[in-house]
Amino acid sequence: MAEIRLEGVTKRFGRTAAVEDLSLTIADGEFLVLLGPTGAGKTTALRLVAGLERPDAGRIAIGGRDVTAEPPAARDVTFVFQQYSLYPHLSVYDNLAFPLRSPTRRVPEAEIETTVRELARLLQIEDKLKNRATQLSGGQMQRVAIGRALVRRPSVYLMDEPLSSLDAKLRADLRLELKRIQVDLGATILYVTHDQIEAMTLATRIGVIDRGRLVQVGSPREIYEQPVDTYVAQRLGQPAINLLPADLLPANRLAAGTRTVGARTEHIRVTPADGQARGRVKWVEHLGDQSHLHIALDGHSLVALVDPDTALERDAAVDITLADPLCFDAAGRRIG
Amino acid sequence: MSPPIIDRAAASTPPALARHIRGLSDRAIAWIFIAPTIVLLLAINIFPLIWTIRLSFTNFRANRTNAPVRDVGIDNYVSILTDPEVWQPMQATAHFVIWTILIQTVLGFSLAWAIDRKFRGHGFWTTVILVPMMLSPAVVGNFWRFLFQPQIGLFNYGISAVTGVPPSSFEMLGSVALAPWAIVIVDTWMWTPYVILICLAGLRSIPDYIYEAAEVDRASPWRQFWTITLPMALPFIMLAVLFRGIENFKMFDMVNLLTSGGPGSTTEVASITLKREAFEKWRTGYSSAFAIILFVTVFGLANIYVKALNRVKSR
Ligand SMILES: Nc1ncnc2c1ncn2[C@@H]1O[C@H](COP(=O)(O)OP(=O)(O)O)[C@@H](O)[C@H]1O
Ligand SMILES: [Mg+2]
């Protein structure tokens, strides 16, 4: 287990800067999740740490050792690729055993067998061990790929959207499982995703990345409650934060100079009103444990959360007030 | 403005024909398109094959069409399979086929691997390497005859420069010991590029991320080669072996031009024997039987081989 330190790392492909001036330290035993949309540079950042790409500028250290110029094999990392990178002509068992069979670290075959079987049980692919890697469903392949990363005990684990191709149920299971494994092992994990739920549930800290630049790093709570700007604010929260002009709605407290307010559902108070009210319910989305209220208001629309047994219906008139919303200035930076 | 070309094309189809075509089912139209090919295939492949089988049971001689044709049963087959002299062309063929395949596969795969590693100017060299394959076997046969000339041949001078033996001290095409190797050398020169091409396709089909995963898994280049490169390219290599094997089993033109089977009968591969029997001795019935035996041999071997290939591919 070791710490990862990135200092001013930049990687360009032609004229696009995939990663720009990235400085980030992932502490020993930390689960850091890089969160960003497709094309933000997440994969590139991971590949830089793994040594599959060489940075154009900057330094990378793992466990206090500068590895910037070292090949992947010397860095003692494992990598779960975004696409299932299995060895297609090998069985699932041999795929899982592959990293252990490195001639430089002779692991006894009996020990390999124990490790592989235990891991297969964990990932629910015990009955597939004899199959060829190509005879699996996408979800099973990805579990084997995850297993191949977990079978070793490297200094750091690197994972590139490992759960994105799994169905919802399995994703939820594996999310818990990954978190448990990380806590048990005290593993250092750098994990990349575009899924805010994965980021919120797995991360010790989240790094929000946008067009190659790290915008904010902090605990999930910090990122959620104190986003530095509207971009970060939009990345977390389900339903997404409502960004509205500052003077649209009455609020109990606004910082001086606020141009945009960010209203998450918990900042919004909805009260039924008479026909004169400005808000109109456009439709109600029933999700079982809660309901989303889509409201139209002076040409803007916003989403609020209400009890599942709400009496509000389509076209009902509502009054809306804001309680402690986030305040952003003209440039989108948060000022209160 | 004139109507779109497709409308004009439709309009210019004679109405009677158009109605006719429209009345046909898809199946019927499919048959109409396939029919010429099937007729051609029957006429130039299947019919001659059946005719050859029939002739192989007779004493027919194509230069004496008036002579009475007698049915001789399996006599032709018996006399071929019991004739010790028949093993000479069989051995010459086996020598030629086995060594060309072995050398071309090892050389072709190694060169493909080197090209795939992308050295400087690899695009240019890939093109240069493919040139021999584009030449006609007749041209290749003739100019290698020159290269092998003991007095003026470049090949002999090259060997002499490397080993120090005098260039006119050996005759590639005229010596019993060297002639079988001379035809192997020329075939290798000509057809290794073909093996390179197929192996390159195999190597390029292996996705980069598999190597990257292996790299992260700390597999040495040696282990990567044996556990990834070779197994994943194997179906392609086997395909190249199949093509070269079938091709060389029936090798005729190049060998005929280089040595005509000589000296003596050291390079007399099966197809040259066949030509002698059929068109020099005019033993049409006998040579038909010989052709059928060759055909069954190649067909049988190829079938066994394709089964093995499919097993490798489905792994
Ligand atoms: N090998 C490459 N060649 C050229 N451009 C690349 C390459 N890899 C990534 N990029 C570009 O870098 C940017 C970041 O890509 P990537 O790191 O894959 O993003 P993400 O994983 O967040 O979706 C994208 O604009 C992408 O087009
Ligand atoms: Mg990616």
Side-chain angles (χ1 to χ4, degrees):
Chain A
M1 302 304 121
E3 134 195 303
I4 308 170
R5 184 187 291 273
L6 296 153
E7 285 171 15
V9 173
T10 298
K11 177 73 192 176
R12 288 194 190 80
F13 294 106
R15 285 177 47 212
T16 47
V19 169
E20 195 156 4
D21 196 21
L22 177 64
S23 294
L24 178 65
T25 301
I26 299 129
D28 190 4
E30 190 173 29
F31 199 133
L32 192 129
V33 176
L34 277 183
L35 178 67
T38 302
K42 307 180 299 294
T43 298
T44 307
L46 269 196
R47 291 171 60 86
L48 284 163
V49 176
L52 295 169
E53 305 281 358
R54 288 289 151 85
D56 296 320
R59 276 174 14 94
I60 299 165
I62 296 175
R65 193 165 54 92
D66 188 334
V67 296
T68 317
E70 287 186 359
R75 298 193 182 194
D76 194 23
V77 298
T78 59
F79 199 115
V80 182
F81 288 81
Q82 196 168 354
Q83 67 282 61
Y84 340 107
S85 55
L86 304 184
Y87 307 117
H89 55 289
L90 296 182
S91 68
V92 169
Y93 183 95
D94 288 332
N95 261 284
L96 289 172
F98 190 95
L100 296 176
R101 290 196 174 130
S102 166
T104 49
R105 299 164 301 135
R106 279 253 147 263
V107 182
E109 210 45 48
E111 195 177 309
I112 291 179
E113 165 132 21
T114 324
T115 316
V116 168
R117 292 206 177 276
E118 192 183 318
L119 202 56
R121 189 156 47 244
L122 190 72
L123 297 165
Q124 303 169 25
I125 43 174
E126 278 168 295
D127 52 332
K128 302 286 179 211
L129 281 175
K130 286 202 180 66
N131 286 36
R132 297 213 153 266
T134 43
Q135 298 166 332
L136 301 177
S137 72
Q140 290 164 343
M141 285 197 215
Q142 193 60 347
R143 274 178 280 164
V144 178
I146 294 171
R148 226 180 41 205
L150 295 177
V151 78
R152 264 170 59 196
R153 295 283 170 266
S155 323
V156 299
Y157 297 84
L158 306 171
M159 304 191 179
D160 193 356
E161 314 211 16
L163 306 183
S164 56
S165 57
L166 305 179
D167 62 55
K169 163 93 173 65
L170 196 59
R171 194 169 350 168
D173 287 354
L174 279 181
R175 221 160 48 210
L176 285 174
E177 214 43 75
L178 266 182
K179 188 65 191 172
R180 192 186 63 71
I181 291 169
Q182 187 257 341
V183 172
D184 284 359
L185 299 176
T188 311
I189 299 184
L190 177 53
Y191 184 106
V192 150
T193 185
H194 65 263
D195 182 305
Q196 52 166 310
I197 299 186
E198 279 172 34
M200 290 299 277
T201 53
L202 289 171
T204 329
R205 282 192 303 155
I206 295 175
V208 180
I209 189 168
D210 175 31
R211 279 167 290 168
R213 291 184 170 278
L214 192 63
V215 187
Q216 186 178 4
V217 190
S219 69
R221 221 187 159 71
E222 272 166 25
I223 302 276
Y224 183 80
E225 289 175 355
Q226 299 157 33
V228 293
D229 58 17
T230 50
Y231 174 82
V232 176
Q234 283 170 297
R235 298 252 64 90
L236 292 182
Q238 184 65 35
I241 193 166
N242 299 291
L243 294 175
L244 303 163
D247 52 5
L248 186 70
L249 290 165
N252 63 338
R253 182 190 61 78
L254 279 186
T258 300
R259 299 290 281 282
T260 306
V261 291
R264 295 196 191 279
T265 50
E266 61 268 30
H267 302 138
I268 302 174
R269 304 278 175 274
V270 181
T271 42
D274 59 28
Q276 305 304 313
R278 288 153 67 208
R280 278 274 177 280
V281 176
K282 296 266 292 215
W283 72 86
V284 188
E285 256 181 328
H286 295 286
L287 300 177
D289 59 335
Q290 57 182 33
S291 294
H292 290 173
L293 215 54
H294 294 253
I295 300 164
L297 189 134
D298 291 359
H300 297 273
S301 59
L302 63 136
V303 183
L305 205 59
V306 290
D307 285 340
D309 54 356
T310 178
L312 288 168
E313 284 182 0
R314 202 175 156 176
D315 286 335
V318 286
D319 269 332
I320 299 166
T321 54
L322 299 179
D324 302 321
L326 303 174
C327 306
F328 300 96
D329 67 11
R333 279 186 299 271
R334 193 172 61 84
I335 49 175
Chain B
M1 204 186 81
S2 63
I5 190 155
I6 190 151
D7 289 344
R8 273 185 289 154
S12 65
T13 309
L17 180 62
R19 212 176 317 119
H20 230 87
I21 289 175
R22 248 180 271 120
L24 292 172
S25 69
D26 282 359
R27 229 186 140 66
I29 291 172
W31 274 109
I32 289 174
F33 278 111
I34 300 171
T37 314
I38 290 183
V39 170
L40 217 63
L41 209 69
L42 283 173
I44 66 178
N45 274 341
I46 308 297
F47 171 73
L49 180 65
I50 292 168
W51 197 247
T52 308
I53 293 174
R54 216 186 78 77
L55 287 180
S56 72
F57 294 105
T58 68
N59 68 346
F60 178 67
R61 297 174 78 92
N63 62 339
R64 281 187 225 151
T65 42
N66 296 333
V69 175
R70 201 161 37 79
D71 209 331
V72 297
I74 60 166
D75 280 4
N76 286 331
Y77 289 91
V78 171
S79 70
I80 291 166
L81 293 176
T82 54
D83 180 0
E85 297 222 333
V86 160
W87 292 109
Q88 162 53 36
M90 286 306 194
Q91 271 170 18
T93 305
H95 179 275
F96 180 67
V97 169
I98 289 170
W99 283 105
T100 49
I101 285 181
L102 200 70
I103 297 171
Q104 286 171 28
T105 307
V106 171
L107 205 61
F109 183 74
S110 314
L111 288 174
W113 195 66
I115 291 173
D116 198 38
R117 297 265 125 169
K118 300 234 163 64
F119 55 86
R120 265 170 68 88
H122 70 100
F124 172 75
W125 288 109
T126 310
T127 316
V128 168
I129 266 176
L130 298 181
V131 166
M133 206 177 81
M134 303 171 191
L135 302 176
S136 131
V139 173
V140 172
N142 271 324
F143 85 60
W144 272 93
R145 272 233 306 268
F146 279 111
L147 293 178
F148 282 144
Q149 282 263 349
Q151 282 81 33
I152 56 164
L154 264 183
F155 183 85
N156 283 36
Y157 274 92
I159 295 290
S160 131
V162 176
T163 62
V165 297
S168 50
S169 68
F170 61 98
E171 265 186 284
M172 287 306 288
L173 297 178
S175 128
V176 171
L178 294 179
W181 295 104
I183 57 175
V184 169
I185 289 171
V186 177
D187 191 75
T188 300
W189 179 84
M190 184 165 179
W191 287 107
T192 302
Y194 180 75
V195 179
I196 294 178
L197 266 195
I198 296 178
C199 289
L200 259 185
L203 292 172
R204 298 261 158 91
S205 75
I206 306 174
D208 280 346
Y209 62 75
I210 299 224
Y211 287 111
E212 289 182 340
E215 192 96 346
V216 173
D217 284 343
R218 301 168 157 200
S220 61
W222 177 254
R223 184 159 181 243
Q224 286 182 30
F225 179 82
W226 287 106
T227 57
I228 298 170
T229 311
L230 199 57
M232 289 185 75
L234 190 60
F236 290 82
I237 298 173
M238 289 181 73
L239 209 61
V241 167
L242 178 71
F243 290 159
R244 290 311 301 138
I246 290 178
E247 193 75 4
N248 278 357
F249 208 93
K250 60 189 177 65
M251 162 54 65
F252 175 77
D253 40 15
M254 191 201 69
V255 173
N256 193 44
L257 267 162
L258 277 174
T259 65
S260 321
S265 58
T266 36
T267 60
E268 188 174 310
V269 291
S271 59
I272 292 187
T273 309
L274 198 55
K275 176 213 156 204
R276 282 201 208 298
E277 293 294 337
F279 301 112
E280 286 170 19
K281 301 182 185 164
W282 294 104
R283 298 165 72 187
T284 312
Y286 178 89
S287 55
S288 294
F290 194 60
I292 296 297
I293 289 173
L294 287 181
F295 171 76
V296 169
T297 311
V298 177
F299 194 75
L301 288 177
N303 257 314
I304 295 169
Y305 188 85
V306 167
K307 285 219 175 65
L309 177 63
N310 283 336
R311 235 193 343 270
V312 168
K313 269 206 297 203
S314 69
R315 270 196 335 211

